[in-house]
């Protein structure tokens, strides 16, 4: 049978090739056919998950809860040293230096990335801002979030920190960071579904040994990190509990 | 639980005696010095089923003023501030023991006698269908809602003491 792999739609666009390379590598290790399907947004990916089409997924922490608790997925590994953090930024000239300076009625721009949205709203709560006294614009990418701020089409933008750091210097110089999250325990992870239960531990081993193998190192490079770190059942449950307290 | 140590206190303290649910009594020293909640951080701790601390993150250590070693294996009431009414914690325990999520605004006592304000969420940790402990995550509170909660607590405290 051919299995399906997918990647959380918030991955950096420049890493598309990397995920294809990773998929090819994994098929070779496992001796099984795996089709990589990339969804444009979280909504269509969730529909695929709901109708049990997905077997391997590099998942956003938000979706990991649902995959583990409702769909029988198991978390295997996460990119070492890579955490999900959010940045709240405004245009450089905007008259605010911290979230407490922001007035009600501001226009927020963000993508459909659920954990960044959650972290962003939590940081605004400290300034008595919430969904009821702000306007929202959901856009397709972090580059567009930045453009909306620069063109005064939105006042405040939420970014995945990694995506913010990857904006061009020219773009970043036109923006001002008001606050950055320092949560350090929320991260993406690679999960496998029930149809791959028998191969699960084998896949985990492949992943954890990847950085010790010259071919594996090349594949990791194309994914933008150095190694996979093990995620055991309790690590995954702890992160889900945390997401639960934030939701 | 050991009394607070005057040598640890920064500023001018008032002395209180707290009695906890397990009957133990603690002398605490309290000042009016607030440590502001750090932007962007979450304060995380976990306890066993009896409320004994099993895990704290770095932000917890920084904000409470205790070392990690001083916190692990201690009852979570080590942070109990005399301005907090007992009823708030009764509600917390009733809620999580019934398997539900609790939210609330909390004033916590630091090792140095000062305080910090948080919006806390506590959930039961369910593993294989059983509650094995609790996790609490705190964030920077909405100033408006925090002020409302503190006013309510002052009222509740008066009623508890009369
Ligand atoms: C996960 C968890 C976190 C808690 N965090 C706090 C806290 O930050 N501050 C606090 O005073 N009590 C906290 N409590 C409640 C204490 O266990 C205790 O009920 C409270 O300090 C009042 O003491 P008492 O119940 O003996 O009256 C927490 C309880 C749990 C289960």
């Amino acid at each position: 049978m051919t299995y399906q792999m997918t990647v959380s739609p918030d991955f950096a666009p420049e890493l598309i090739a990397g995920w294809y390379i990773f998929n090819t590598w994994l098929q070779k290790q496992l001796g099984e056919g795996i089709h990589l399907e990339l969804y444009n947004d979280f909504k269509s990916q969730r529909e695929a998950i709901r109708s049990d089409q997905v077997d391997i997924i590099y998942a956003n922490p938000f979706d990991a809860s649902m995959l583990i608790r409702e769909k029988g997925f198991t978390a295997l590994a996460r990119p070492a040293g890579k955490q999900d953090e959010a940045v709240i930024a405004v245009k450089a000239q905007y008259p605010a230096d911290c979230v407490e300076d922001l007035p009600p009625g501001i226009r927020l721009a963000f993508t459909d990335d659920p954990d960044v949205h959650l972290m962003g709203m939590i940081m605004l709560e400290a300034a008595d801002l919430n969904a009821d006294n702000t306007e929202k614009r959901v856009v397709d990418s972090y580059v567009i979030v930045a453009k909306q701020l620069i063109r005064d089409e939105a006042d405040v933008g939420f970014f995945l920190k990694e995506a913010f750091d990857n904006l061009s210097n020219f773009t970043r110089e036109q923006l001002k960071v008001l606050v950055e999250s320092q949560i350090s325990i929320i991260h993406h992870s690679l999960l496998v579904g029930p149809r791959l239960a028998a191969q699960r531990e084998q896949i985990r081993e492949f992943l954890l040994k990847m950085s010790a193998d010259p071919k594996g190192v090349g594949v990791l490079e194309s994914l933008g990190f150095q190694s996979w770190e093990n995620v055991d059942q309790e690590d995954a449950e702890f992160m889900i509990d945390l997401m639960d307290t934030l939701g | 639980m050991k009394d607070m140590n005057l040598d640890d206190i920064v500023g001018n303290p008032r002395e209180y005696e707290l009695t906890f649910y397990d009957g133990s009594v603690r002398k605490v020293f309290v000042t009016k010095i607030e440590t502001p909640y750090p932007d962007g951080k979450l304060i995380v701790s976990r306890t066993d089923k009896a409320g004994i601390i099993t895990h704290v993150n770095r932000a917890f250590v920084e904000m409470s003023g205790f070392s990690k070693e001083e916190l692990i294996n201690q009852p979570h009431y080590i942070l109990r501030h005399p301005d907090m009414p007992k009823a708030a914690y009764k509600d917390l325990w009733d809620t999580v023991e019934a398997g539900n999520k609790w939210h609330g605004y909390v004033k916590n006592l630091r090792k140095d006698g000062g305080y910090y304000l948080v919006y806390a969420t506590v959930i039961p940790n369910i593993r294989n269908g059983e509650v094995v402990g609790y996790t609490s995550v705190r964030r920077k509170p909405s100033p408006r809602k925090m002020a409302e909660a503190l006013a309510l607590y002052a009222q509740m405290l008066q009623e508890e003491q009369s």
Side-chain angles (χ1 to χ4, degrees):
Chain A
M1 95 172 259
T2 299
Y3 298 97
Q4 194 200 99
M5 169 150 86
T6 187
V7 178
S8 176
D10 56 10
F11 72 90
E14 58 274 18
L15 296 180
I16 290 192
W19 284 106
Y20 278 99
I21 295 168
F22 174 72
N23 184 43
T24 306
W25 175 87
L26 189 59
Q27 293 187 74
K28 236 181 243 157
Q29 303 295 310
L30 208 56
E32 303 269 12
I34 305 170
H35 166 70
L36 178 62
E37 181 77 39
L38 296 176
Y39 297 94
N40 283 329
D41 50 48
F42 281 92
K43 191 162 164 274
S44 49
Q45 188 178 74
R46 280 194 200 125
E47 273 157 25
I49 295 167
R50 249 177 232 123
S51 56
D52 296 324
Q53 294 174 47
V54 176
D55 299 296
I56 307 180
I57 177 169
Y58 182 65
N60 183 283
F62 209 82
D63 292 332
S65 308
M66 181 259 285
L67 287 155
I68 293 173
R69 296 233 163 124
E70 292 164 32
K71 285 290 177 184
F73 276 65
T74 304
L76 298 182
R78 64 184 189 109
K82 218 166 129 165
Q83 279 109 20
D84 288 19
E85 301 288 358
V87 169
I88 295 185
V90 292
K91 189 177 175 173
Q93 297 81 4
Y94 190 87
D97 293 312
C98 59
V99 290
E100 280 84 356
D101 293 340
L102 297 170
I106 47 169
R107 299 159 300 167
L108 309 176
F110 43 80
T111 68
D112 69 345
D113 185 346
D115 66 332
V116 172
H117 177 251
L118 185 67
M119 291 187 273
M121 291 309 286
I122 284 176
M123 290 192 285
L124 287 188
E125 205 177 279
D128 282 324
L129 296 169
N130 53 54
D132 297 330
N133 62 9
T134 54
E135 274 177 48
K136 66 170 184 182
R137 278 128 223 261
V138 186
V139 301
D140 283 339
S141 73
Y142 290 113
V143 172
I144 302 179
V145 173
K147 280 194 182 139
Q148 291 237 326
L149 299 178
I150 293 166
R151 293 190 198 131
D152 292 320
E153 288 162 5
D155 303 303
V156 173
F158 295 169
F159 297 84
L160 179 68
K161 177 165 167 44
E162 197 183 1
F164 187 83
D165 293 342
N166 285 335
L167 293 172
S168 71
N169 284 340
F170 179 71
T171 303
R172 246 181 307 133
E173 276 160 15
Q174 298 178 74
L175 301 173
K176 173 165 65 178
V177 173
L178 298 186
V179 61
E180 268 181 33
S181 71
Q182 291 172 269
I183 296 175
S184 77
I185 26 189
I186 293 179
H187 49 78
H188 280 57
S189 37
L190 194 86
L191 298 100
V192 297
R195 277 192 294 264
L196 278 168
Q199 292 97 321
R200 192 170 69 202
E201 292 313 309
Q202 201 186 357
I203 299 174
R204 191 196 302 272
E205 209 175 306
F206 289 145
L207 295 173
L208 299 182
K209 285 188 176 156
M210 226 172 146
S211 57
D213 164 62
K215 271 220 184 89
V217 170
V219 177
L220 285 166
E221 234 162 67
S222 65
L223 287 176
F225 53 90
Q226 261 114 49
S227 62
W228 291 99
E229 208 169 83
N230 189 44
V231 174
D232 65 25
Q233 185 72 15
E234 184 50 33
D235 297 333
E237 293 282 356
F238 184 29
M239 192 174 75
I240 295 173
D241 282 341
L242 281 170
M243 297 302 292
D244 230 13
T245 67
L246 300 178
Chain B
M1 166 148 302
K2 275 200 298 195
D3 290 339
M4 280 173 86
N5 186 347
L6 257 183
D7 295 339
D8 295 329
I9 305 301
V10 177
N12 240 336
R14 274 188 71 175
E15 189 182 319
Y16 294 83
E17 199 171 77
L18 297 177
T19 306
F20 302 106
Y21 81 100
D22 55 5
S24 65
V25 173
R26 184 186 194 207
K27 195 190 287 177
V28 297
F29 299 106
V30 174
T31 72
K32 291 198 157 68
I33 303 170
E34 178 179 359
T35 300
Y37 196 106
D39 277 324
K41 293 197 184 179
L42 297 176
I43 300 176
V44 181
S45 66
R46 302 168 85 180
T47 70
D48 64 12
K49 277 164 73 174
I52 305 295
I53 298 171
T54 56
H55 168 103
V56 291
N57 73 345
R58 190 170 345 148
F60 191 112
V61 170
E62 287 166 7
M63 286 304 282
S64 69
F66 290 102
S67 69
K68 189 170 172 176
E69 293 69 32
E70 289 171 318
L71 292 164
I72 302 292
N73 292 326
Q74 292 299 314
H76 220 309
Y77 60 61
I78 190 168
L79 301 184
R80 165 85 194 279
H81 196 286
D83 289 351
M84 288 294 293
K86 270 188 169 317
Y89 296 112
K90 178 163 187 328
D91 181 48
L92 182 164
W93 279 101
D94 287 349
T95 305
V96 296
E97 281 181 340
N100 298 318
K101 195 192 288 196
W102 182 86
H103 295 283
Y105 294 86
V106 178
K107 183 174 191 174
N108 269 332
L109 179 61
R110 287 169 50 89
K111 183 183 179 180
D112 66 8
Y115 70 93
Y116 58 102
L117 302 171
V118 303
Y119 176 65
T121 304
V122 185
I123 58 160
N125 304 132
I126 298 164
R127 303 289 183 266
N128 303 314
E130 270 184 52
V131 175
V132 296
Y134 302 99
T135 296
S136 176
V137 176
R138 297 91 176 166
R139 55 219 224 199
K140 190 169 180 172
S142 140
R144 186 174 55 77
K145 292 191 184 144
M146 189 79 229
E148 283 170 14
L150 289 176
L152 177 68
Y153 293 157
Q155 231 175 37
M156 288 164 69
L157 207 60
Q158 250 184 356
E159 280 160 25
E160 282 179 11
Q161 284 161 355
S162 66

